[in-house]
Amino acid sequence: MLSDRLDHASLDYVESRDPGQGRLAPRARYRSDAMALDLDGAWRFRLADSLHDLTPDFEAPDHDDTGWETIPVPSNWQMQGVADTPRFGTPAYTNIVYPFPVDPPRVPDANPTGEYRREFTLPPEWPGTGRGVLRFEGVDSAFAVFLNGVRLGDGKGSRLPTEFDATEALRPGRNVLAVRVHQWSAGSYLEDQDMWWLSGIFRPVALLHRPQDGVDDLFVHTGYDHRTGEGTLRVEAGATGRITVPELGLDLAVGERATAPVEPWTAETPRLYDAELTTAGERVRLRIGFRTVTVSGGLLRVNGTPLLLRGVNRHEWDPDTGRTLSVGTMRRDIELMKRHNINAVRTSHYPPDGRFLDLCDELGLWVVDECDLETHGFHLNDWRGNPSADPAWREALLDRMRRMVERDKNHASVIMWSLGNESGTGDNLRAMADWSHERDPGRPVHYEGDWDSGYVDVYSRMYADHAETDRIGRGTEDPTTDPELDEHRRSLPFILCEYGHAMGNGPGGLTEYQRLFEQHPRLQGGFVWEWIDHGVRRRTARGEEFFAYGGDFGEVVHDGNFVADGLVFPDRTPSPGLIEFKKVVEPVTIDVDTAARTVSVRSALDFADTGHLRFHWRVEDEGVPAGQGELTVPAVAAGDSAVVGWPRELSGAVDAAGAGGERWLTVAARLAKDEPWAPAGHEVAWTQAALTSVLTAPAAPGPRSDAPAPRVDGARITLGDGVFDARTGRLVRLGALPVEGPRLDVWRAPTDNDLRGRRGSDAEKWRAAGLDRMEHRVLFVEPGDTTLTVTTRVAAAGSDAALSAVYRWSAAPSGGAAGAGALRLTLEVRPVGGWDVTLPRLGLRAAVPAALSAVSWFGAGPHEAYPDTRAAARVGRFASDVDGLQTPYLFPQENGSRTDVRWVRLAPAGGGTGLRLSAPAPFSFAARPWTSEELDAAAHPTELVRGDLVHLTLDAAIQGIGSASCGPGVLPEYRLFAAPTVLTIDWEAEEG
């Protein structure tokens, strides 16, 4: 029961729409010589079940907290011990639905509340004049602060800073800081942001000295005139002082405007100038970038140049610490982005830790800074009571906008303010935009949720499909209801604030989006959803690590693995999707003309030339190096191109007699020197050109009169080195190698994109058609003069739609292209009856002993690739073990297919008899320790159990991937329909 000593009225702030009491006005974040006391570290902690379980007088300096536990600050309390035995509750994930009844501003009685206490000693040198300010960078969700028993105030806005004046409560020597943090509050209705619900003091805390005659706030106004090359500087500050920029020879008074020749700041050339603001009481260090952002001529421009955003949405996430990130982790994120040709970040759906923006300034990223606002759950109730349209919430929304803009206004990297995400429409959003335009006219305002776009500066959408995006680029999109607003919207640049939903295997269709961006000037790129899988690192009872997702903590309401939709895995390992994205958005396009023996280089950079790159060539014969060297390319200006002839060494390598097989030329652009985000030699862009013909269609099987004949011996049929089951016609042994013979297969473990879709789930249609339970009926097993022909009918129970599959086996004649012991299989497939669904794949499945764990191949690689995710696959010779061929998606699904394969070899790791598969035309293969059915049944990778076989899939065709988990499905050209198909594979047992 709530203690009589606990004042009920003192908790009213929890359900108040008011953003907080006792707070100081928001201001910029900056580095100063004023004294500061870091209050991070171990705090005493008690987790109360609800507001009825709070500790009376917990804020009293003499309260006995020795029986309490400890918790690190900053941290989320649900992440403590989460890998094994959670100490303070568990994470919960929802995408849209609120995990509590929608009854704003009220929240449930079951409201876990963290009670924090920390003692600190005020240093003897702490100044006796000025003010003491307590600064909290982020607390989720509502909190009240007490210093030495004195209540300083309360606040909401979890991912925004809050400051309190602590001057009167501070004491020399020992001080006791007490903070009460509530998991749920009225503010929770504004923070429905498609992520784990986590609580606590999760960003740093500090006591700051604010000196007399110091800097209360400052606003650095810069501009750049691209016609004159001059920058302008004016600094507003609430104090008298001077600003010096030694490198520019500037020394000016606060409020004074100066002009000087400068190097501008861009994401490609992040030039910063060190400056200092000095007042009578304080010195503030600044890093200034000169740039001008405008929307003019229907385009978003920086320094007069239109941008093409190659962006990602970024949630703050760490699999062990939740939303508490180290500076090292933030830097690693940006380095990975830059290394994968990403140039922009949307801070979905809240302002990031301010230190992240420092790094964006330093390393170079365009940033769309998004307000801590999302009310998506009201959508499920037809937006009834939505705070965006309710005047009672107006101040709360404006407060969040002010705090973001005031904190981040001095960052050169921030080029747009975003009002928030998926919060419907309403006058409160307009008020936020109006305030931002007035306070900071130098930055455009973004918001996706109001397609009329009456109060924003860009037209933004999420997950518009390729056809609609093309119409928008052409200016022929459907009109909105208000003709005046529609005309305004058509004059705006277009940005896909979310596209390419990177959930599981995928996303597909990125190449086609990029073509549209480059074709239509109005389409200024977008932001893939999203950067990282929000998996929580956990361990099974056997100690096996895995990454948990929604529902793994027993949540009553959750959205499963929809939280795992990133381009990097939770441990920040790049996924195949990120590698694909890097290739699709590479900022330099290289083309090879083998007839003219030239290389053309086109720069897609917006500002920098290519002087920071060196170009290299490499010639390979069937993946074996045959020559390499450097290609001299002049520095190509942004947007320009150059054509250079082949150097003598390259022509010589191409003309030299090869070792046979295919010959390929690869030309790559690499960093010429170390950059802050990658070492010299890092590859930025590449292309390949075939120097010999590449087989693209299978040769028709012709008569092979000198080939050996099949021999029937009771239950066995022998053909060359192959032994077949006489009853089923299936291969059971090849030489000394046991084989579970190949048979037609059309099933794959559905991907996340297969399982979801705007027009229904492909996987549901496949299951309804029985593609996951096809039955095989052997009609004929016919030994001939030189062939073994097996005729089958493959169909699902309850369906008369079938596939006729005819297997024609022959043994290689002596001296043939394949080894003397090779078998050639030609599979002929023909659909029978009515087929009204696509196929997941069309090919063969087989199995060999698990000892064949070493895999090498010549074809496209080294990573997985599918018809609409193959831009990053290059032709070469690659090697891996079977484990390395698997992509460890958090939710097991189809993965690991290598495409355009000419041959693949599986062998024991230590040598011995292996299996070589080759073909007259490229095919796709995957090798797994488990079957597609086992992949399909597993919810986590730890549920997959290795057996004594390696399972092979050999495909003539595969359906594409798409991004239907939250975007468009597979484009028509990548959909696979049943049609007559021929697949030819040569099988040979090889000694290692």
Side-chain angles (χ1 to χ4, degrees), residues 219-235 248 250 256-266 271 273 288-294 301-304 409-412 440-443:
F219 196 163
V220 178
H221 298 275
T222 65
Y224 178 73
D225 188 330
H226 61 282
R227 294 159 298 190
T228 65
E230 291 188 324
T232 58
L233 173 64
R234 180 174 62 87
V235 177
L248 298 177
L250 293 179
E256 183 181 351
R257 183 177 183 272
T259 302
V262 299
E263 298 175 47
W265 189 98
T266 75
R271 181 67 159 92
Y273 291 87
I288 294 175
F290 291 88
R291 54 108 186 98
T292 297
V293 186
T294 59
R301 304 173 190 266
V302 172
N303 303 335
K409 58 184 179 279
N410 297 323
H411 286 284
D440 182 24
R443 287 185 179 92

Side-chain angles (χ1 to χ4, degrees), residues 98 181 447 488 546:
Y98 288 106
V181 181
Y447 179 64
H488 165 71
F546 70 101

Side-chain angles (χ1 to χ4, degrees), residues 120 148 303 353 396 411 420 508 736 820 853 884 949:
F120 66 90
N148 297 321
N303 303 335
D353 188 306
H411 286 284
S853 61
L949 296 174

Side-chain angles (χ1 to χ4, degrees), residues 71-92:
I71 193 171
V73 169
S75 73
N76 294 114
W77 70 60
Q78 293 92 342
M79 297 299 291
Q80 304 308 302
V82 71
D84 298 296
T85 305
R87 297 171 58 202
F88 306 118
T90 54

Side-chain angles (χ1 to χ4, degrees), residues 731-805:
L731 180 67
V732 295
R733 185 173 294 277
L734 185 61
L737 184 68
V739 178
E740 285 195 5
R743 65 175 183 173
L744 177 68
D745 189 35
V746 296
W747 183 244
R748 73 184 187 198
T751 67
D752 285 307
N753 292 305
D754 294 335
L755 290 165
R756 297 168 172 84
R758 297 175 178 177
R759 296 177 178 84
S761 158
D762 279 343
E764 288 179 2
K765 296 172 187 176
W766 294 340
R767 292 188 200 277
L771 301 187
D772 60 333
R773 49 183 175 82
M774 300 289 272
E775 299 283 349
H776 296 252
R777 175 69 167 92
V778 177
L779 302 178
F780 307 104
V781 178
E782 301 174 296
D785 290 341
T786 59
T787 62
L788 171 65
T789 303
V790 181
T791 304
T792 68
R793 185 179 189 274
V794 183
S799 174
D800 62 355
L803 295 170
S804 168

Side-chain angles (χ1 to χ4, degrees), residues 340 567 574-584 686 862-863 871-873:
H340 290 86
L567 290 170
S575 76
L578 179 59
I579 295 164
E580 176 80 357
F581 189 51
K582 174 186 177 180
K583 176 61 179 171
V584 167
W686 60 272
H863 305 285

Side-chain angles (χ1 to χ4, degrees), residues 782-959:
E782 301 174 296
D785 290 341
T786 59
T787 62
L788 171 65
T789 303
V790 181
T791 304
T792 68
R793 185 179 189 274
V794 183
S799 174
D800 62 355
L803 295 170
S804 168
V806 179
Y807 306 78
R808 302 188 191 279
W809 291 93
S810 60
S814 176
L823 296 178
R824 168 161 289 188
L825 166 63
T826 297
L827 171 68
E828 300 170 2
V829 181
R830 180 174 55 87
V832 178
W835 281 89
D836 58 358
V837 297
T838 60
L839 300 178
R841 50 182 291 268
L842 181 60
L844 296 163
R845 73 157 64 184
V848 294
L852 274 62
S853 61
V855 185
S856 57
W857 74 97
F858 175 56
H863 305 285
E864 72 181 23
Y866 292 80
D868 55 350
T869 64
R870 56 176 295 160
R874 66 184 80 193
V875 176
R877 186 177 296 210
F878 305 100
S880 173
D881 58 19
V882 169
D883 286 349
L885 296 177
Q886 316 310 307
T887 304
Y889 295 113
L890 273 65
F891 179 77
Q893 57 196 272
E894 164 67 30
N895 74 89
S897 180
R898 269 59 180 179
T899 192
D900 282 346
V901 174
R902 284 67 161 169
W903 58 258
V904 57
R905 186 174 190 274
L906 294 93
T913 302
L915 173 66
R916 178 186 169 94
L917 303 168
S918 57
F923 62 98
S924 297
F925 90 90
R928 304 188 181 103
W930 32 71
T931 65
S932 296
E933 289 77 13
E934 289 167 332
L935 262 181
D936 189 2
H940 298 90
T942 50
E943 297 171 23
L944 292 165
V945 179
R946 285 170 170 75
D948 54 4
L949 296 174
V950 170
H951 301 273
L952 306 177
T953 60
L954 313 169
D955 290 320
I958 309 175
Q959 168 135 313

